[in-house]
Amino acid sequence: MAHNVLEKQATVLSPWRWLYWPSLFLGLGCAYAIVMLWPYLVEQRLRLRYTVGLMILTALALGGLGVATPPVLRRQGKQRFLFAHLVLALVTGVCLLVLRVGLDQVIPPWPNCDLRPIVPLDFSARKTPGARPGVLDFYPWFSTPMNSWGQRDLERSFPRVPGVNRIVFIGDSFLEGVMCRYPLPLLTELKWRGESSEPIECVNLGVSSTGPVHYYHRLEQVGRLLHPDAVFLFLYAGNDFLHPEDAYHPDRANRLTAWVRERPLPSLLGELSPRTTWWIVNRFHLSEYGRGVKEVAHEFDDLYRMAQQPFAVGVHQLSEHIQRHHHPEWSVEQIETVLRRGGSGFWKELATRTQDPEFLQGWLVSAMLRCELTPPPGWTPPKVPPESEVGPWVAATHSWIEAIHTRCTQLGFPLVVFLAPTAAGDPHYVEYWRPWPGFLYRSCTLPLARHVLLVRRLQESGISCVDLAPVLRGIPHTYRLTDGHWTEAGHDLVSERVLQEIRTLDPGKKNHPPQQGDTK
């Protein structure tokens, strides 16, 4: 009996038993990670440090369980031991169910959650009764139609409609038709219906603040499941060129190189829990859209009211606003001096109108001021951008286009790349921003040099490419002055060129039926 008492005291005082529960939870987490990441582990597409870390954590969990289980089992007995784990499994299941139900209330369904890292803006939504309407409430067509996928498009379905040709458009805000009545794919489809009896679907997968890396994964995660007859890829010279360090290589497209990234970009958390990833990215502004735009409450309406003031009053109010919310490192006088360069012509374009209205936007004014105040004194924009700012950026971007082309070839989808230039060819836009040469260089001169080189590289590599610069060159009022997107006139010209490309496709060629495993 004395022996039993001593054994019991030794068991109670054993420090190893406290390792049991941490080791158990760590082991369960490692087991879940191994199951979810197994394809990446087998194909060695997971970063080496992540693989080694997972192996170390698994070894620690197994070692802890091996050491701690015997004293816990002796202390509790087999029945209490099994009962505790049954209760733990039940509580864990209930917690996971509650978490899933809660996330379902705030996270949009697939494919919305794999297309957009943020909830799409809907200016036509009804506000609280009695609330003062914002300026965008008077332009409801800016965000309509909006379908259940979170896209500015008609309702679409993954199953093919018999006898209907389908073209998938992949790109950024230029496909969303910012501030225009129709997004580009829908305008193209509408015009096609007016000239042909051959039915066609122009599915819009354009998402603002995304680039070529997103386009690759959007094609992989959503676009290929639509089984299109063709893929139209749109790249904008203003912000789609990638840093040389972001160039494509075979591992980068699939390897999990980050803990968490916006969907559909791959990440560790994205593979383990896609819905939680969407919530974290949305909540903590981790997407490109969230990182690139500083949120200031009611800024859009406040800047609109400033723009309706007389030039001197409005510019001073704008300078104070920018200094307070965006650039406290500069004085109001510095900011106002730069803004006054445009004179009354700068302000006159901001007057209220129903067709192609212009709106002051904080991000644009901030970007322009950085271009004008950040360079050292005496710096003048070069007429010809240096090679270091052109060639490497074009090569990195071209590498992802080649990867998209290769993937489309594997899937049997014809790919056409449309290159949208900046507003360098719009004389009205260039004249408007001429008082700010630093901004004009960054928004027109440099992107134009990259655009020209990319067109040549695509032609040399045999990728079907449509250069939209000749379509828009020399025609005024084709670009919006205050955000650089196409106006209604610009949209109309581009849609005609897209229609011309559609006519070259074989309308009788239907794509392959869905293959096994190609559904979400």
Side-chain angles (χ1 to χ4, degrees), residues 4 128 176:
N4 293 337
T128 305
E176 292 194 291

Side-chain angles (χ1 to χ4, degrees), residues 272-418:
L272 299 174
S273 181
R275 303 178 72 77
T276 305
T277 301
W278 189 95
W279 183 85
I280 291 175
V281 169
N282 180 266
R283 178 65 180 82
F284 295 100
H285 308 289
L286 301 180
S287 67
E288 285 197 19
Y289 181 89
R291 292 193 303 268
V293 179
K294 181 178 180 180
E295 290 189 5
V296 179
H298 311 297
E299 181 178 57
F300 198 95
D301 290 321
D302 290 342
L303 295 185
Y304 173 77
R305 285 191 287 271
M306 294 175 195
Q308 308 314 308
Q309 300 290 331
F311 173 66
V313 176
V315 167
H316 183 72
Q317 291 178 352
L318 175 60
S319 303
E320 291 180 328
H321 174 90
I322 295 297
Q323 196 274 339
R324 183 184 310 115
H325 296 290
H326 293 274
H327 293 289
E329 69 274 18
W330 298 323
S331 67
V332 174
E333 291 73 21
Q334 284 179 290
I335 296 173
E336 188 168 351
T337 299
V338 173
L339 293 178
R340 281 182 174 273
R341 293 181 195 170
S344 59
F346 164 53
W347 216 244
K348 183 168 39 174
E349 293 288 351
L350 305 175
T352 300
R353 56 177 181 260
T354 57
Q355 178 77 7
D356 292 322
E358 300 285 355
F359 299 104
L360 271 178
Q361 299 183 62
W363 65 266
L364 179 73
V365 178
S366 175
M368 183 268 284
L369 290 170
R370 284 197 301 270
C371 293
E372 298 300 321
L373 293 175
T374 301
W379 178 84
T380 56
K383 294 183 179 180
V384 178
E387 168 60 22
S388 61
E389 291 189 341
V390 179
W393 294 72
V394 171
T397 307
H398 181 262
S399 67
W400 279 97
I401 300 175
E402 277 193 317
I404 295 173
H405 178 260
T406 300
R407 188 65 180 127
C408 285
T409 301
Q410 294 170 349
L411 295 168
F413 306 153
L415 173 69
V416 181
V417 180
F418 291 81

Side-chain angles (χ1 to χ4, degrees), residues 122-333:
D122 186 0
F123 305 129
S124 65
R126 296 181 64 86
K127 294 189 174 183
T128 305
R132 182 178 179 179
V135 60
L136 290 178
D137 291 319
F138 294 95
Y139 301 90
W141 59 85
F142 283 179
S143 64
T144 55
M146 188 70 67
N147 65 18
S148 59
W149 295 2
Q151 297 299 112
R152 196 177 176 209
D153 196 3
L154 303 178
E155 285 295 338
R156 308 293 185 179
S157 64
F158 280 90
R160 293 285 300 264
V161 178
V164 177
N165 291 279
R166 173 178 281 177
I167 301 174
V168 167
F169 288 64
I170 298 179
D172 60 2
S173 53
F174 276 76
L175 291 185
E176 292 194 291
V178 174
M179 305 294 183
C180 288
R181 294 179 181 272
Y182 290 96
L184 181 63
L186 193 58
L187 178 60
T188 303
E189 183 176 336
L190 179 63
K191 287 186 173 185
W192 177 267
R193 289 187 173 220
E195 70 173 49
S196 173
S197 59
E198 183 75 25
I200 195 173
E201 269 189 317
C202 295
V203 181
N204 189 359
L205 295 186
V207 179
S208 296
S209 299
T210 56
V213 184
H214 296 82
Y215 306 158
Y216 177 93
H217 292 287
R218 194 177 306 153
L219 170 68
E220 186 66 29
Q221 299 296 329
V222 180
R224 69 181 179 86
L225 303 178
L226 290 163
H227 306 283
D229 295 293
V231 174
F232 284 2
L233 177 67
F234 282 74
L235 284 97
Y236 171 55
N239 55 22
D240 270 351
F241 282 99
L242 297 170
H243 191 278
E245 294 181 357
D246 295 326
Y248 173 89
H249 53 76
D251 286 340
R252 176 166 291 171
N254 300 305
R255 184 175 297 209
L256 306 182
T257 57
W259 290 102
V260 58
R261 288 197 297 180
E262 63 182 288
R263 302 286 294 167
L265 303 183
S267 67
L268 275 175
L269 185 60
E271 291 298 315
L272 299 174
S273 181
R275 303 178 72 77
T276 305
T277 301
W278 189 95
W279 183 85
I280 291 175
V281 169
N282 180 266
R283 178 65 180 82
F284 295 100
H285 308 289
L286 301 180
S287 67
E288 285 197 19
Y289 181 89
R291 292 193 303 268
V293 179
K294 181 178 180 180
E295 290 189 5
V296 179
H298 311 297
E299 181 178 57
F300 198 95
D301 290 321
D302 290 342
L303 295 185
Y304 173 77
R305 285 191 287 271
M306 294 175 195
Q308 308 314 308
Q309 300 290 331
F311 173 66
V313 176
V315 167
H316 183 72
Q317 291 178 352
L318 175 60
S319 303
E320 291 180 328
H321 174 90
I322 295 297
Q323 196 274 339
R324 183 184 310 115
H325 296 290
H326 293 274
H327 293 289
E329 69 274 18
W330 298 323
S331 67
V332 174
E333 291 73 21

